[in-house]
């Protein structure tokens, strides 16, 4: 939402929620208030009404980036709905929702087969073709895999656990760009372009990754050109998918 909130604005949000509840199961309604300049008493009461409707349907209302003026208005409005919860940002709310869905303590390592699952599914390669070139790396929860600005000397494939990509911007909070699980490549862009790492990656929970260095990739090209060609084909498909996602995002922001 953006601008000044009044009864009509927040009531339309309630109508959207009601329509969603009729179509499918919704367990959380998340509203971004970062661009809201203020709210009147009727708007605050409408948000409280939405919270009560959420509770009645076994759903929750989460608010992100709540301005102080809106927080004060909600505090003055009557009601103590358990479903109403505030987060510092949309990303923080999404991360909390992910933590609910993913058990941080559960690490079921499928070995190199899990790390290569997506690659194998997209090519004619098998784990046996690539395993001689990979190095297994264990990461404790919170450990950094590499830092923004580092030289990109390797890419990684996640076998177990969960890693997050953080982009650091001067004089601003770090922004989480992506969360990656088994089968997902990490750091492949730098390997392809030769550019320094564009973001920092750390393990959210104890994790296992398999490392493929530039030297090992070059050795693969010499010893098994077919395997190397399969890896590059897979990376090209991944990059094409990223570009398509970015184009769709830009189109959505323009609407």
């Amino acid at each position: 939402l953006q601008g000044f909130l009044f009864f009509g604005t927040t009531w339309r949000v309630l109508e959207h929620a009601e329509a969603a509840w009729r179509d499918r199961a919704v367990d959380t309604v998340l509203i971004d208030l970062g661009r809201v300049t203020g709210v009147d008493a009727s708007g605050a009461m409408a948000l409280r009404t939405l919270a009560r409707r959420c509770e009645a349907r076994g759903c929750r209302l989460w608010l992100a980036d709540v301005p102080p003026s809106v927080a004060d208005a909600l505090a003055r409005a009557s009601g103590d709905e358990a479903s109403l919860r505030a987060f510092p940002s949309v990303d923080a709310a999404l991360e909390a929702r992910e933590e609910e869905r993913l058990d941080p303590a559960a690490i079921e390592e499928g070995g190199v087969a899990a790390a290569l699952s997506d690659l194998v599914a997209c090519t004619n390669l098998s784990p046996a073709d690539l395993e001689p070139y990979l190095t297994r790396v264990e990461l404790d929860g919170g450990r950094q895999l590499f830092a923004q600005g580092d030289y990109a000397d390797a890419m990684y494939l996640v076998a177990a656990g969960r890693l997050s990509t953080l982009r650091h911007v001067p004089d601003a909070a770090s922004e989480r760009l992506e969360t990656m699980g088994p089968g997902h490549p990490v750091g492949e862009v730098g390997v392809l372009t030769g550019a320094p790492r564009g973001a920092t990656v750390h393990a959210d929970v104890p994790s296992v990754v398999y490392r493929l260095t530039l030297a090992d990739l070059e050795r693969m090209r010499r010893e098994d050109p077919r395997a190397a060609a399969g890896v590059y084909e897979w990376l090209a498909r991944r990059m094409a998918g990223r570009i398509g996602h970015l184009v769709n995002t830009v189109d959505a922001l323009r609407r």
Side-chain angles (χ1 to χ4, degrees), residues 109-117 120 127-128 130-132 134 136 157-159 210:
E109 185 182 351
V112 71
L116 297 172
S117 57
V120 169
L130 302 167
E131 190 168 3
L134 301 173
R136 185 177 181 275
L157 295 150
V158 184
Y210 281 82

Side-chain angles (χ1 to χ4, degrees), residues 98-108 141 161-162 204-207:
E98 288 174 358
E99 291 291 343
E100 291 179 347
R101 298 294 296 271
L102 302 171
D103 181 0
I107 302 178
E108 299 179 2
R162 190 173 72 253
D204 297 326
V205 298
S207 303

Side-chain angles (χ1 to χ4, degrees), residues 21-173:
W21 287 325
R22 287 193 295 269
D23 294 339
R24 60 192 181 277
V26 177
D27 61 24
T28 307
V29 175
L30 172 60
I31 301 178
D32 182 4
L33 301 178
R35 297 183 180 179
V36 168
T37 57
V39 60
D40 65 8
S42 64
M45 289 303 300
L47 284 175
R48 287 291 186 184
T49 299
L50 176 57
R52 288 193 293 272
R53 295 281 182 89
C54 286
E55 260 189 297
R57 292 181 175 270
C59 183
R60 303 165 303 181
L61 176 61
W62 286 3
L63 306 179
D65 201 1
V66 184
S69 60
V70 177
D72 291 343
L74 288 174
R76 289 193 299 271
S78 61
D80 56 352
E81 293 78 11
S83 65
L84 183 58
R85 185 177 173 188
F87 293 85
S89 66
V90 169
D91 186 65
L94 294 176
E95 190 167 10
R97 189 67 189 93
E98 288 174 358
E99 291 291 343
E100 291 179 347
R101 298 294 296 271
L102 302 171
D103 181 0
I107 302 178
E108 299 179 2
E109 185 182 351
V112 71
L116 297 172
S117 57
D118 187 62
L119 194 160
V120 169
C122 295
T123 66
N124 293 322
L125 300 177
S126 70
D129 294 323
L130 302 167
E131 190 168 3
Y133 304 96
L134 301 173
T135 302
R136 185 177 181 275
V137 179
E138 295 186 9
L139 300 169
D140 294 331
R143 179 180 165 187
Q144 183 174 282
L145 183 61
F146 53 76
Q148 185 173 324
D150 283 355
Y151 171 61
D153 59 348
M155 60 173 284
Y156 302 83
L157 295 150
V158 184
R162 190 173 72 253
L163 288 80
S164 286
T165 303
L166 300 175
R167 175 76 174 175
H168 303 296
V169 180
D171 302 322

